[in-house]
Amino acid sequence: MSAAEGPLVVGVDTSTQSTKALVVDAATGQVVASGQAPHTVSSGTGRESDPRQWWDALCEALRQCGDAAHEAAAVSIGGQQHGLVTLDERGEPVRPALLWNDVRSAPQARRLIEELGGPKAWAERTGSVPGPSFTVTKWAWLAEHEPEAVRATRAVRLPHDYLTERLTGQGTTDRGDASGTGWWASGTEAYDEETLAHVGLDPAMLPRVVRPGEVAGTVRDSHDLPFSKGTLVAPGTGDNAAAALGLGLRPGAPVLSLGTSGTVYAVSRRRPADPTGTVAGFADAHGDWLPLACTLNCTLAVDRVAALLGLDREAVEPTGVTLLPYLDGERTPNLPGASGLLHGLRHDTTAGQLLQAAYDGAVHSLLGALDLVLDADADRSVPLLLIGGGARGRAWQETVRRLSGRAVQVPEAKELVALGAAAQAAGLLTGEDPAAVARRWNTAAGPVLDAVERDDETLERIAGVLSDAAPLLERSTDDR
């Protein structure tokens, strides 16, 4: 490990499946140490995790970083969005956290939309029409199904808030992650009293929203992490906003992220408000906006299909089959109770063709929202930035190129969420915009794959099957 040129910072990505930590040289962006530890997610109808596992995983990831973590001058936590963390009077979890991909609150989402003015009113107030991923719907579900847990709750946090609070002892969040709750108003950039009153949530139970560039706190004395007391703690943010920082994203540059969930987003100067609910009008982590569309089924769904077929994930063949891989319900399109659907199976259909159909179905959902995410005046010739766990897969790259008709750039930097968090921490030390820090680190550099002719035939076929099957997919909804 070469000697660092500047102070060291730590960036953390606490995601659905694991927590990763990077120790980064603030001057150069060089990663000087890293660590990672897993956590578990329940299976079945719900998706839950014990927040204490996130803390244990953070401790283990930092332990793997060795002395470099202890030398860090600042730290920031990027984390999975939307999760509902309920804490008691001792700061201990009342129950496991309800995660972003837990769709049991679909009935509550529909009711809240209706009871508080309809989709247009929600979009104007909060920037988004809440689906079952949004935290407000999970709180409503909890109040209905586990009122004793609600009565025991003294503080409500998001996943990144929980870890930040354990570092500093103070309840804080940021505008990027708060904008995914459903109870933060994008117009006023404050908690929405009407929404909170409607769902019976006391604003005093929520964390303070720290502004971009503000110090959230310092590492306290009574903790078991390898940080020095007084180490600066940045506001942190949600994972997509952190990745946008990690790319040094400028307005109009589109991003397609291939992970457990799939997302498309871009930074915008304009506050978004989509009454259809396709685009979530999130805030970003440095004062602008991050219109975003998300699918629940991306790399895990395609990998599951590959496993069922006994194939390597790259063993695809050209196909005319349609597979909608909605294995966990779906968010885009909004079909929370749907399951996967296969159409066009023939005697001569091969396993490789079925696997390619799964890729096509997953990418179709994301690209369908891309034009809605981008501002009307965005330059459509700008390459599509492909990130996330699937971005380096040949089958993913070629499917995105073929179905988008756009040039595709694959950044060489890995762990962009943790890098974005590290850039935010570095910004506390240098006074820079974290996105400018990431651009200085050249994190978006990577090969550009030329555009190919868009495969309109496949796009139209999938859209037709989706339209024809809509009654069946909607009828699958389970109103638990």
Side-chain angles (χ1 to χ4, degrees):
M1 182 178 75
S2 61
E5 293 182 17
L8 298 179
V9 294
V10 171
V12 175
D13 172 13
T14 180
S15 65
T16 314
Q17 306 288 337
S18 67
T19 292
K20 304 155 196 160
L22 302 181
V23 183
V24 180
D25 182 342
T28 65
Q30 178 191 3
V31 176
V32 300
S34 64
Q36 178 173 349
H39 21 89
T40 58
V41 179
S42 67
S43 57
T45 58
R47 294 291 185 273
E48 302 180 354
S49 286
D50 184 346
R52 288 168 292 207
Q53 281 197 1
W54 306 337
W55 178 254
D56 291 342
L58 176 60
C59 292
E60 172 57 22
L62 289 167
R63 186 195 65 77
Q64 293 172 22
C65 291
D67 291 341
H70 186 77
E71 296 170 9
V75 58
S76 178
I77 310 289
Q80 55 176 310
Q81 292 182 257
H82 303 305
L84 175 66
V85 180
T86 51
L87 304 177
D88 63 19
E89 68 279 356
R90 296 174 294 113
E92 292 294 326
V94 171
R95 67 178 314 285
L98 297 170
L99 303 186
W100 60 273
N101 55 350
D102 188 317
V103 298
R104 286 177 290 178
S105 62
Q108 288 73 26
R110 291 193 293 271
R111 287 204 295 271
L112 286 173
I113 293 168
E114 180 180 346
E115 291 167 358
L116 288 174
K120 189 172 186 293
W122 271 95
E124 290 175 350
R125 184 170 61 249
T126 70
S128 304
V129 181
S133 61
F134 279 64
T135 325
V136 67
T137 71
K138 300 181 188 304
W139 176 261
W141 181 90
L142 196 66
E144 183 174 334
H145 291 271
E146 299 181 19
E148 69 286 355
V150 166
R151 287 193 293 270
T153 298
R154 296 294 178 269
V156 171
R157 301 290 184 261
L158 296 166
H160 111 258
D161 307 341
Y162 172 77
L163 293 176
T164 300
E165 185 167 0
R166 290 201 64 168
L167 289 175
T168 66
Q170 302 175 47
T172 60
T173 191
D174 89 302
R175 68 192 295 270
D177 220 359
S179 67
T181 60
W183 54 57
W184 185 84
S186 61
T188 60
E189 299 209 21
Y191 291 129
D192 187 72
E193 294 182 4
E194 180 184 2
T195 302
L196 292 172
H198 188 80
V199 298
L201 180 55
D202 183 351
M205 295 166 62
L206 298 177
R208 178 176 68 90
V209 182
V210 179
R211 300 299 302 172
E214 184 182 347
V215 176
T218 57
V219 172
R220 56 182 171 169
D221 199 16
S222 56
H223 67 92
D224 54 357
L225 284 178
F227 289 127
S228 301
K229 178 185 176 183
T231 299
L232 297 182
V233 180
T237 193
D239 50 6
N240 291 297
L245 288 183
L247 288 165
L249 210 59
R250 297 184 187 275
V255 177
L256 194 155
S257 177
L258 302 169
T260 303
S261 64
T263 55
V264 286
Y265 56 85
V267 170
S268 175
R269 305 286 191 207
R270 305 179 185 119
R271 184 174 73 91
D274 176 17
T276 73
T278 301
V279 176
F282 294 149
D284 75 357
H286 65 97
D288 289 324
W289 302 93
L290 197 72
L292 177 148
C294 177
T295 63
L296 294 182
N297 298 278
C298 195
T299 57
L300 283 185
V302 171
D303 286 352
R304 179 59 179 153
V305 172
L308 287 171
L309 297 170
L311 294 179
D312 180 272
R313 62 170 66 104
E314 299 289 347
V316 295
E317 300 175 45
T319 188
V321 178
T322 301
L323 199 165
L324 305 178
Y326 304 160
L327 307 190
D328 282 322
E330 191 44 82
R331 174 169 165 176
T332 304
N334 185 25
L335 297 165
S339 55
L341 186 146
L342 174 65
H343 177 75
L345 190 64
R346 301 282 188 183
H347 277 291
D348 59 354
T349 300
T350 67
Q353 290 172 335
L354 290 177
L355 180 57
Q356 181 61 67
Y359 279 98
D360 289 349
V363 171
H364 174 272
S365 295
L366 288 165
L367 294 179
L370 182 59
D371 284 339
L372 295 174
V373 163
L374 291 170
D375 290 337
D377 56 357
D379 183 356
R380 263 54 179 181
S381 68
V382 173
L384 182 59
L385 287 163
L386 195 64
I387 66 171
R392 286 171 174 76
R394 178 188 56 82
W396 281 112
Q397 292 175 359
E398 294 307 313
T399 302
V400 171
R401 288 177 76 202
R402 178 171 50 83
L403 296 185
S404 71
R406 298 183 68 134
V408 171
Q409 183 171 1
V410 184
E412 292 176 350
K414 299 179 181 179
E415 309 302 349
L416 285 162
V417 173
L419 274 176
Q424 190 186 63
L428 290 184
L429 303 178
T430 66
E432 293 174 272
D433 175 352
V437 172
R439 288 193 290 271
R440 178 162 56 76
W441 292 349
N442 203 24
T443 53
V448 177
L449 310 176
D450 292 337
V452 297
E453 184 178 357
R454 190 171 68 179
D455 184 357
D456 290 322
E457 180 180 349
T458 294
L459 293 170
E460 290 167 5
R461 171 169 47 80
I462 296 172
V465 171
L466 179 58
S467 177
D468 291 344
L472 176 63
L473 293 167
E474 291 167 359
R475 196 161 61 242
S476 301
T477 300
D478 185 350
D479 289 340
R480 281 182 294 271

